[in-house]
Amino acid sequence: MKPYDHKKIEKKWQQYWARHKIYTTPDTAPGKDNFYLLVEFPYPSGNLHVGHWYAFAVPDILARKMRMEGKNVLYPIGFDAFGLPAENAAIKHGLNPRTWTEKNMTYMTKQIQSMGASFDWSRKVSTIDPAYYKWTQWLFLQLYKKGLAYQKETAVNWCPKDKTVLANEQVVNGRCERCDSEIVQKQMLQWNVKITDYANCLIDDLDTLDWPEQIKESQRNWIGRSEGAEIDFKIARSEESVTVFTTRADTLFGCTYLVLAPEHPFVIAALKKDGPFAGITNADEVGKYVASADKKTELERQESREKTGIELKGVKAINPANGEAIPVWVADYVIGSYGTGAIMAVPAHDERDFEFAKKFDLPIRHVIAPRVVDERNPHRPGKDVVFRKTILGIVRDPATNKFLCLRWKKHPWTTFVVGGVEEGESWVEAARREIHEETGYTNLKLVRSLGGPIYTEFFAAHKDVNRIALGTSVLFELDANTTREEVRADETAAHEVVWLDPLELTWDRMTHAELDIVLSRIHSAGSAYTGDGILADSGEFTGSTAEEARRSLTQRYGRSKTTYRLRDWIVSRQRYWGVPIPIIHCASCGTIPVAEKDLPVRLPAVRDYLPDGSGRSPLAKAKTFVNVKCPKCKGKAQRETDTLDTFVDSSWYFLRYADPKNKTRFADTKKLANWMPVDLYSGGAEHTTMHLLYSRFWHKALYDLKLVRESEPYTHRMNRSIILGPDGQKMSKSRGNVIDPDEVVRTLGADTVRMYLAFIGPYNEVSSYPWNPDGVVGVRRFLERVWRAQEYVGAKNVPELEVPLNKTIKKVGEDIAAMKFNTAIAQLMMFLNDIEEYKAVEKKQWAAFLKLLAPFSPHMAEELWSLSGKKKSIHLEGWPEYDEAKTRDATITIAVQINGKTRGEARVAAGASGEAMEAAAKQSVAQRLDGKEIVRTVAVPGRLVNFVVKG
RNA sequence: GCCGGGGUGGCGGAAUUGGUAGACGCGCACGACUCAAAAUCGUGUAUCGCAAGGUGUGAGGGUUCGAGUCCCUCUCCCGGCACCA
């Protein structure tokens, strides 16, 4: 037997497959269903890394298996060749980006081909090909004509190092996603596309997709839908009003001031003594504040959360619910770009407003009472419901840190001082009165009211009524002025005064839930209650639930409104290496799209493509490119010089694969119908809220333009894991832990690398796996054992292998379909172990085994196939079938348990009856059962027998 | 803080969806071959214990004849969002 020479074998078969074009995929194949397996196309960065292998060589296993099963599988590849990384590298090496990129593509194509993946290279696309970007431009113009692409001057993210604008999605924690520079905000005129028009269906349609929950949830978070209301606040002495967005319309009666973002148009106007707030008396100070807020970078805003702000003096707004005139503030905790850029502040029920109100001493009004139901004493049906305002008088002795309590003589409980609030009495007055009446203490020092009322429902047995108590607690302390007077005899008869630690309270007249709230309020300096509950002090709405009130108050004082965190996608980039935006600016005719016949607008070769930081693309310096005739008036006009974000290129590349050479359309409708939607899209988790979201939006826009037939591009999506260095850290040159796949392929072979990566862990779960050099060698060892097993082939009769083989065919098929390549390989290893054990395998059994191996190690399988005398490629063979009956052993081992603990084993026939199993089981644990009474026997066919015994 | 995912040997990971926990591989130990080493092959390898026998799937509780799997409480790790009203 010749030794296993992977170099020779892999080269030989890669050439053979290319020569015979066995992976060229027809648009349709008679009698075969189409299956579209997509992987994210790579940047031509110059070198293939292990991640590329993991991304391309492992899904290839599925592609190959499905082909053998009789599917017409499209597994295409291309290059996402425009963009910053390529351009920056080109600048660094002093080359033209095109030369550099094309050289990389040539080199990487060879590298990818060394994987032995079944890509259909005849469908290769490259985004820098004018025949491709012609259609990128065309599609952009379709969006433009539909009003989905527009130019707007807004505050944008500017990367000072890359000297270009970035989309929100490309800014991570205030830094550039690519170069990690701190992003600054700039006011610039930019091309946007209206992804926000699709925010709703981008969220809703997630429900229709068979995607991992994690990806869906990330997209939902990113889009950030929030349902609430817009409410108009009239401005005093003005006809105009400020519109706020809130999700808590139920707290409207608790709104004690308004806050506008520093960027709010009314604020900007007020600084110029204009607009509804023209009457402010402190414009200078407000101006200073706005300027300082403006200067803050995104990072500074995130780092310092200290509340700052300034009141607009001399103006008031009117709370529409209670008609109260309330102050108006400007603060940068309100963001101009979200909602309406203005909020109604409800400090009692919003943590940020609370913090702000504390700092600037603004009033806090409680309007939502937490609802507590006494579960031991619930309302009884048929009894009257009596509503009562109650007060809880809490007195702390600072010397001992104990609390004044009453121990009741007739009841087994201890309580704080509790009583009703009388007509016209304030909470504090009521509390003082009750404490005085019941304990004699007077002249107590008021500490504070404890954060608004609590709504408690219970059955008051002593009064035989269902009680609803709206209880407010007030905290006092003993101090030098405090005196104690005589208490009435009936009070002393009812209870005695004790000083207790709150933990010692045994309070049966109140729930623990309520007590918890009160205690936490005693111990914290106060906080906002942001939960739901029952409305208090809210006029006619008092008593309704927060949920009802959100609806009714919205209806009365505002209107329902849904807002999104998602911003429109800024697609213009001030860089050279991208698709020119096909627009002409004419001084008299305005913005004119380039006519279809003039597409593509070619990216000109220029000498100087370095960005100069002026905020204009290097293309602006290419005079012959810029200066054109206006298509409309034939006057002087200029081309748009910004280029498109590369995420535009990649938003439709999967459509081009269906018809990559079409000259008259981005892809033929019929050919699109053959392949779309993508059946399975495998890619990296880093694209979840970028490429994956952009391309869903783009596709939906094309769907509305009737250019594609489905509203979602990808039926099934899976995120791939990450391969780490051998040290368990992310591979990086500086750490010196980078594995060069070319080198491993040289020493161990492509088949080994493919199979190792498939074996490293389940492919359909997101995780990270360290590259284990010993593990790769282990896989190589397996392949060499396969190679040596040739010597056993040709045995005449090996029935012992029949069940293992059928099991293996079943398991490998199922596991590949589920993307659990690791367990499929484990099963192949087990079968090889069996062959080695018997030192024999029939030709037919060997052939089936090779077919199972073919998707994983296509070269070796092909070589062994050909060595066994076959002429046709193994990859054109059918997937082996199994006989269900032969996947089960004739005799099986069952577990024997006593009281659920495994105590022995028994051998029984596969189809053994319960009685037969029991009998065999009983025998195997006879000693342990001796003298014990079997109370119950559980027999699970094919699994186990469990004896439940006593004694 | 909110939302999503997860925690199993020394390591990567298995476990037919409630039925013998640790498949398969790596590593390690011992043995065979060898002057020796490598390669290869064989045996063993959750843990405590000489053994009988215990104990074990992040922690604690519950349901069940039986729990890695279901329920409750907590904890830690990963990911998304976060001054978003």
Side-chain angles (χ1 to χ4, degrees):
Chain A
M1 193 193 307
K2 283 186 286 184
Y4 168 43
D5 181 350
H6 66 264
K7 276 190 194 163
K8 222 166 129 187
I9 293 171
E10 288 174 1
K11 197 174 159 199
K12 170 176 149 193
W13 290 112
Q14 280 168 19
Q15 285 173 351
Y16 174 92
W17 297 332
R19 203 166 54 239
H20 291 82
K21 295 188 167 44
I22 74 168
Y23 305 124
T24 303
T25 312
D27 291 315
T28 55
K32 289 184 177 184
D33 288 337
N34 280 2
F35 188 89
Y36 190 174
L37 174 61
L38 182 68
V39 290
E40 288 160 0
F41 61 163
Y43 277 106
S45 56
N47 210 355
L48 218 61
H49 51 76
V50 172
H52 287 120
W53 273 78
Y54 199 48
F56 305 149
V58 178
D60 181 56
I61 295 167
L62 180 67
R64 287 178 177 277
K65 184 249 186 181
M66 293 191 79
R67 260 188 225 108
M68 291 173 80
E69 276 182 324
K71 294 275 196 307
N72 185 36
V73 179
L74 176 57
Y75 189 46
I77 185 86
F79 286 101
D80 190 9
F82 273 127
L84 281 180
E87 184 176 356
N88 287 341
I91 290 167
K92 204 171 134 194
H93 293 88
L95 289 160
N96 177 288
R98 180 169 289 277
T99 318
W100 192 84
T101 306
E102 282 174 348
K103 202 182 107 212
N104 286 347
M105 287 198 289
T106 310
Y107 184 63
M108 286 175 76
T109 300
K110 273 199 191 131
Q111 288 183 306
I112 295 171
Q113 282 167 341
S114 79
M115 292 175 184
S118 59
F119 286 124
D120 177 358
W121 286 95
S122 73
R123 290 177 185 260
K124 187 187 101 170
V125 305
S126 160
T127 56
I128 60 170
D129 185 350
Y132 179 89
Y133 71 66
K134 170 181 179 176
W135 298 107
T136 308
Q137 292 172 338
W138 186 84
L139 290 168
F140 173 80
L141 289 180
Q142 304 313 303
L143 263 66
Y144 172 79
K145 288 170 188 166
K146 188 83 183 181
L148 288 172
Y150 65 95
Q151 234 182 341
K152 192 183 178 188
E153 172 143 348
T154 47
V156 297
N157 308 302
W158 174 262
C159 173
K161 178 138 177 278
D162 290 332
K163 299 190 174 65
T164 183
V165 156
L166 297 175
N168 270 4
E169 287 77 8
Q170 290 158 330
V171 179
V172 181
N173 294 326
R175 294 180 177 278
C176 172
E177 184 228 350
R178 298 226 172 262
C179 71
D180 209 36
S181 312
E182 195 175 320
I183 294 302
V184 295
Q185 301 293 308
K186 251 189 173 179
Q187 204 71 19
M188 283 175 73
L189 185 66
Q190 294 291 309
W191 284 95
N192 289 250
V193 290
K194 281 193 184 167
I195 190 169
T196 52
D197 274 14
Y198 287 81
N200 228 8
C201 66
L202 283 169
I203 286 189
D204 288 343
D205 291 354
L206 284 171
D207 295 339
T208 68
L209 297 175
D210 181 19
W211 288 18
E213 195 50 39
Q214 196 163 355
I215 306 178
K216 293 188 185 183
E217 200 52 35
S218 291
Q219 291 207 348
R220 284 189 201 109
N221 285 342
W222 184 260
I223 296 166
R225 175 159 68 190
S226 107
E227 280 159 42
E230 279 186 356
I231 296 171
D232 299 328
F233 281 65
K234 279 244 157 58
I235 295 164
R237 297 190 304 274
S238 159
E239 289 306 302
E240 291 187 74
S241 39
V242 174
T243 303
V244 304
F245 174 73
T246 180
T247 55
R248 291 298 302 268
D250 52 314
T251 63
L252 182 57
F253 282 85
C255 167
T256 51
Y257 59 98
L258 294 189
V259 188
L260 308 189
E263 309 89 309
H264 196 283
F266 287 0
V267 177
I268 305 296
L271 293 178
K272 300 176 197 151
K273 293 278 175 192
D274 195 10
F277 294 129
I280 61 166
T281 56
N282 59 341
D284 285 356
E285 288 152 273
V286 172
K288 270 185 208 151
Y289 178 76
V290 170
S292 77
D294 237 23
K295 252 186 14 213
K296 275 195 203 171
T297 63
E298 199 68 13
L299 264 188
E300 282 167 340
R301 272 206 188 190
Q302 273 169 22
E303 274 158 15
S304 148
R305 298 228 162 166
E306 177 72 21
K307 295 274 180 300
T308 60
I310 187 163
E311 187 180 353
L312 297 182
K313 293 265 171 67
V315 297
K316 294 276 183 203
I318 308 298
N319 182 331
N322 53 20
E324 204 176 319
I326 54 173
V328 182
W329 285 66
V330 176
D332 69 359
Y333 82 92
V334 174
I335 294 158
S337 56
Y338 184 78
T340 60
I343 61 155
M344 60 177 227
V346 185
H349 304 294
D350 181 280
E351 274 158 33
R352 295 149 301 181
D353 298 341
F354 181 83
E355 203 187 312
F356 192 80
K358 278 278 172 192
K359 181 160 173 185
F360 294 102
D361 202 24
L362 290 154
I364 298 171
R365 186 175 304 143
H366 296 271
V367 291
I368 303 291
R371 177 169 179 258
V372 173
V373 176
D374 186 344
E375 66 281 358
R376 292 158 313 179
N377 244 338
H379 277 186
R380 294 186 186 173
K383 300 286 182 187
D384 289 345
V385 177
V386 178
F387 185 87
R388 201 163 88 126
K389 270 195 175 175
T390 61
I391 190 73
L392 215 56
I394 303 171
V395 184
R396 195 174 77 101
D397 180 352
T400 60
N401 202 19
K402 290 201 170 185
F403 290 83
L404 175 65
C405 298
L406 304 177
R407 176 168 291 140
W408 295 77
K409 293 185 174 162
K410 281 192 198 156
H411 309 287
W413 56 55
T414 316
T415 68
F416 288 127
V417 172
V418 61
V421 179
E422 286 171 9
E423 202 57 38
E425 216 178 20
S426 79
W427 294 342
V428 176
E429 286 161 359
R432 284 192 190 281
R433 179 181 49 74
E434 288 287 350
I435 292 166
H436 180 243
E437 279 173 15
E438 299 193 355
T439 70
Y441 282 98
T442 186
N443 286 334
L444 291 157
K445 177 187 162 202
L446 171 68
V447 178
R448 62 174 188 272
S449 283
L450 293 180
I454 301 170
Y455 178 99
T456 313
E457 286 178 24
F458 59 96
F459 176 71
H462 55 299
K463 297 274 165 73
D464 196 36
V465 292
N466 289 326
R467 162 114 350 128
I468 291 175
L470 200 59
T472 303
S473 26
V474 182
L475 179 63
F476 298 95
E477 271 180 12
L478 296 181
D479 78 349
N481 297 326
T482 307
T483 51
R484 195 172 176 194
E485 294 168 4
E486 205 56 23
V487 179
R488 286 207 321 263
D490 57 324
E491 296 284 356
T492 6
H495 47 66
E496 60 172 315
V497 171
V498 287
W499 289 87
L500 292 176
D501 188 280
L503 294 172
E504 298 172 66
L505 286 175
T506 53
W507 198 341
D508 283 329
R509 288 181 67 191
M510 206 190 210
T511 65
H512 289 287
E514 186 176 1
L515 187 59
D516 282 350
I517 296 173
V518 171
L519 291 180
S520 78
R521 285 175 177 180
I522 290 172
H523 292 298
S524 74
S527 64
Y529 173 71
T530 56
D532 271 350
I534 305 296
L535 266 70
D537 292 325
S538 294
E540 65 187 276
F541 299 93
T542 300
S544 65
T545 66
E547 202 186 337
E548 283 164 16
R550 274 196 282 278
R551 248 174 291 134
S552 49
L553 281 159
T554 299
Q555 206 166 39
R556 176 80 63 87
Y557 300 110
R559 57 217 164 259
S560 293
K561 172 79 183 176
T562 303
T563 59
Y564 303 87
R565 202 193 74 93
L566 186 73
R567 300 270 69 89
D568 270 345
W569 174 16
I570 299 179
V571 293
S572 40
R573 295 291 176 275
Q574 291 69 47
R575 293 299 294 246
Y576 167 74
W577 192 231
V579 175
I581 296 176
I583 294 284
I584 291 168
H585 300 282
C586 169
S588 42
C589 308
T591 307
I592 312 289
V594 172
E596 200 173 326
K597 65 173 173 53
D598 296 331
L599 295 179
V601 175
R602 285 178 183 264
L603 183 65
V606 297
R607 271 213 196 97
D608 179 13
Y609 48 78
L610 286 157
D612 57 12
S614 64
R616 300 193 66 198
S617 157
L619 278 181
K621 290 181 275 190
K623 295 280 179 277
T624 50
F625 171 79
V626 174
N627 295 318
V628 288
K629 266 191 215 159
C630 171
K632 231 177 176 175
C633 69
K634 309 295 175 200
K636 277 190 181 171
Q638 281 83 40
R639 278 194 200 281
E640 170 67 53
T641 56
D642 282 356
T643 52
L644 286 171
D645 182 5
T646 53
F647 279 113
V648 176
D649 309 351
S650 57
S651 285
W652 72 280
Y653 75 107
F654 47 91
L655 300 175
R656 189 68 177 171
Y657 283 139
D659 191 10
K661 304 207 165 67
N662 196 321
K663 289 203 168 103
T664 57
R665 201 173 189 270
F666 65 97
D668 176 70
T669 308
K670 227 169 128 192
K671 289 186 179 176
L672 282 175
N674 288 335
W675 296 110
M676 289 300 293
V678 171
D679 292 290
L680 175 58
Y681 192 14
S682 167
E686 70 275 17
H687 287 302
T688 300
T689 54
M690 294 205 259
H691 162 62
L692 213 52
L693 192 64
Y694 291 142
S695 55
R696 284 185 66 219
F697 150 67
W698 195 265
H699 205 78
K700 284 175 179 300
L702 300 192
Y703 175 72
D704 287 348
L705 285 158
K706 308 249 186 312
L707 294 171
V708 296
R709 303 201 316 176
E710 58 290 317
S711 64
E712 285 284 344
Y714 323 116
T715 308
H716 193 103
R717 162 80 188 191
M718 50 153 295
N719 281 356
R720 171 181 17 97
S721 302
I722 301 169
I723 305 296
L724 305 172
D727 55 356
Q729 302 288 312
K730 211 180 157 203
M731 283 191 202
S732 76
K733 276 185 197 156
S734 57
R735 275 202 198 87
N737 63 348
V738 178
I739 298 292
D740 175 11
D742 288 355
E743 200 183 308
V744 189
V745 169
R746 237 184 335 268
T747 55
L748 299 173
D751 280 343
T752 298
V753 175
R754 291 170 59 105
M755 203 158 196
Y756 170 66
L757 288 170
F759 189 52
I760 204 165
Y763 199 68
N764 62 341
E765 284 169 29
V766 181
S767 177
S768 52
Y769 306 115
W771 175 278
N772 178 355
D774 290 323
V776 193
V777 172
V779 170
R780 165 77 189 202
R781 250 191 317 251
F782 166 71
L783 288 176
E784 288 187 6
R785 280 167 55 209
V786 172
W787 185 263
R788 288 199 298 272
Q790 280 181 90
E791 65 174 293
Y792 305 132
V793 179
K796 278 291 164 284
N797 194 12
V798 196
E800 307 93 306
L801 280 178
E802 276 306 298
V803 168
L805 179 63
N806 279 279
K807 271 186 188 167
T808 302
I809 296 171
K810 182 177 184 188
K811 175 95 177 134
V812 171
E814 287 171 356
D815 286 355
I816 292 177
M819 306 283 264
K820 291 185 175 178
F821 306 117
N822 55 333
T823 48
I825 293 170
Q827 185 64 41
L828 290 170
M829 289 172 167
M830 283 157 76
F831 185 68
L832 180 67
N833 290 345
D834 287 334
I835 294 179
E836 287 176 338
E837 190 184 331
Y838 301 122
K839 298 197 187 318
V841 57
E842 295 171 23
K843 271 192 162 173
K844 257 174 70 184
Q845 294 166 337
W846 181 246
F849 174 66
L850 289 182
K851 287 181 194 171
L852 299 181
L853 195 69
F856 298 93
S857 48
H859 312 88
M860 176 187 268
E862 189 81 295
E863 177 72 9
L864 292 175
W865 184 252
S866 129
L867 284 174
S868 71
K870 303 290 204 295
K871 294 282 176 272
K872 196 172 102 184
S873 168
I874 191 169
H875 302 294
L876 301 173
E877 290 288 326
W879 189 248
E881 284 176 16
Y882 62 89
D883 180 351
E884 183 68 46
K886 286 191 188 164
T887 60
R888 287 184 287 266
D889 294 288
T891 21
I892 53 169
T893 308
I894 60 164
V896 184
Q897 300 182 332
I898 295 173
N899 290 339
K901 300 205 172 190
T902 305
R903 294 302 185 199
E905 289 178 344
R907 296 281 295 170
V908 298
S913 66
E915 290 84 41
M917 282 172 63
E918 260 185 71
K922 212 173 260 174
Q923 217 177 10
S924 81
V925 290
Q927 280 186 336
R928 282 174 181 273
L929 288 174
D930 200 27
K932 306 237 167 85
E933 186 197 342
I934 299 175
V935 191
R936 191 180 156 190
T937 306
V938 183
V940 183
R943 296 254 150 254
L944 55 76
V945 176
N946 184 18
F947 296 109
V948 185
V949 303
K950 226 165 56 180

